[in-house]
Amino acid sequence: MKILSKPSNSSTITGFILLGFSCPREGQILLFMLFFIVYLLTLMGNASIICAVRWDQKLHTPMYLLLANFSFLEIWYVTSTVPNMLANFLSDTKVISFSGCFLQFYFFFSLGSTECFFLAVMAFDRYLAICRPLHYPSLMTGRLCNILVISCWVLGFLWFPVPIIIISQMSFCGSRIIDHFLCDPGPLLALSCVRNSLIELTSSTLSSLLLFIPFFFIMGSYTLVMRAVLRVPSAAGRRKAFSTCGSHLAVVSLFYGSVMVMYVSPTSEHSAGIQKLVTLFYSVVTPLINPVIYSLRNKDMKHAMKKLLKI
């Protein structure tokens, strides 16, 4: 990476400066306490789902094994950003090294990509369970479930390395200040000495493909699911099927609704304030509320959580 800067005090800086949320020192401390609590609750909520699935034999099914893996993913997803954000709240310099910045960039986007694939696989599982119930046990075997889980992780971590490496080799000019709480392509590209429309287009195209291919797959799966559910003669059967899918649809709506705002259009077109708010929602808020959504709308999970709390 080439860093070009004007002769100034910034020459002593060994990395980028993440401004985060600009406010007085007292406000920074309050934000630290708020996000520290949110981070702990997120870890506890997702870890509780993992433990419930691990210890309750009734939950040893593909649907809940996928959910446990998804919760494990959410723990690492929020960990890729929040600890550094917490450190910045208490830091006077708010500096992140060049290597640290691009490592965060890589892991944040790779984990986000993995989440897109996981949501698609979970929709596929619901499609098989509801539309092919008699063949479901023979189709969604433990072996296939493991293959799908591994595929999500591998594809997620292989999706963005090339554009990230290209961006890391660009020349950056000026103050090196990133008006964000993480290393995101929009602010990084804004610091480049020469605007590269090809890199912006490539990043936007890869993001669009990553979002829309799983999204259309999810929508197609649930269209078939809804058609099958509406054919169920009993109202109780329809309610049970809808409750099974409702949690996943809610999570898909929250995640995709916010992510599409950020990464489908060229990233440099968004204001810094919008980038922070939208990124905060899908990277911090959704991992916090996902365990609540899955627990409240699922009787088996609620029962397992109650058993877990009694231990």
Side-chain angles (χ1 to χ4, degrees), residues 185-241:
L188 280 171
L189 290 172
L191 289 178
S192 62
C193 298
V194 179
R195 179 170 179 175
N196 193 318
S197 300
L198 180 60
I199 293 179
E200 290 189 23
L201 179 62
T202 301
S203 178
S204 180
T205 300
L206 284 173
S207 299
S208 298
L209 290 173
L210 173 68
L211 291 172
F212 282 114
I213 291 175
F215 180 74
F216 286 133
F217 182 84
I218 292 169
M219 291 299 101
S221 298
Y222 275 110
T223 298
L224 296 174
V225 166
M226 294 303 172
R227 190 172 67 176
V229 169
L230 293 175
R231 292 176 181 173
V232 175
S234 66
R238 287 195 297 271
R239 280 197 301 271
K240 183 178 180 180

Side-chain angles (χ1 to χ4, degrees), residues 259-272:
V259 171
M260 283 184 175
V261 171
M262 271 306 300
Y263 296 112
V264 173
S265 60
T267 54
S268 61
E269 291 183 2
H270 302 292
S271 69

Side-chain angles (χ1 to χ4, degrees), residues 82-253:
V82 174
N84 185 73
M85 182 167 60
L86 292 175
N88 271 7
F89 285 138
L90 303 180
S91 171
D92 293 325
T93 60
K94 303 185 183 301
V95 173
I96 184 171
S97 66
F98 300 135
S99 59
C101 180
F102 281 92
L103 277 174
Q104 184 189 60
F105 187 179
Y106 173 69
F107 280 105
F108 178 70
F109 273 80
S110 295
L111 291 165
S113 303
T114 305
E115 182 157 345
C116 291
F117 293 123
F118 257 108
L119 290 173
V121 167
M122 293 166 78
F124 175 65
D125 174 71
R126 290 301 83 207
Y127 160 75
L128 290 180
I130 294 174
C131 298
R132 305 286 296 278
L134 298 179
H135 299 91
Y136 179 73
S138 60
L139 291 173
M140 185 57 77
T141 60
R143 182 173 180 274
L144 177 59
C145 187
N146 290 332
I147 291 173
L148 290 173
V149 168
I150 294 171
S151 299
C152 288
W153 285 99
V154 172
L155 284 173
F157 276 78
L158 291 179
W159 196 266
F160 273 107
V162 173
I164 291 175
I165 291 172
I166 293 173
I167 294 175
S168 70
Q169 299 304 311
M170 294 174 63
S171 298
F172 297 92
C173 301
S175 63
R176 308 179 190 176
I177 295 175
I178 297 176
D179 192 4
H180 210 308
F181 61 85
L182 56 80
C183 290
D184 199 64
L188 280 171
L189 290 172
L191 289 178
S192 62
C193 298
V194 179
R195 179 170 179 175
N196 193 318
S197 300
L198 180 60
I199 293 179
E200 290 189 23
L201 179 62
T202 301
S203 178
S204 180
T205 300
L206 284 173
S207 299
S208 298
L209 290 173
L210 173 68
L211 291 172
F212 282 114
I213 291 175
F215 180 74
F216 286 133
F217 182 84
I218 292 169
M219 291 299 101
S221 298
Y222 275 110
T223 298
L224 296 174
V225 166
M226 294 303 172
R227 190 172 67 176
V229 169
L230 293 175
R231 292 176 181 173
V232 175
S234 66
R238 287 195 297 271
R239 280 197 301 271
K240 183 178 180 180
F242 277 125
S243 66
T244 303
C245 302
S247 301
H248 186 248
L249 279 173
V251 171
V252 168
S253 300

Side-chain angles (χ1 to χ4, degrees), residues 246-297:
S247 301
H248 186 248
L249 279 173
V251 171
V252 168
S253 300
L254 289 172
F255 181 76
Y256 273 95
S258 54
V259 171
M260 283 184 175
V261 171
M262 271 306 300
Y263 296 112
V264 173
S265 60
T267 54
S268 61
E269 291 183 2
H270 302 292
S271 69
I274 292 176
Q275 286 186 17
K276 292 179 189 179
L277 289 176
V278 177
T279 306
L280 185 68
F281 185 81
Y282 71 78
S283 66
V284 179
V285 177
T286 55
L288 171 67
I289 62 180
N290 283 351
V292 179
I293 293 173
Y294 281 114
S295 300
L296 289 180
R297 296 186 60 88

Side-chain angles (χ1 to χ4, degrees), residues 51-72:
C51 292
V53 174
R54 173 67 179 84
W55 290 334
D56 194 327
Q57 293 293 327
K58 294 181 180 179
L59 300 185
H60 288 187
T61 62
M63 171 183 169
Y64 292 109
L65 292 175
L66 289 172
L67 177 57
N69 277 277
F70 184 74
S71 295
F72 178 74

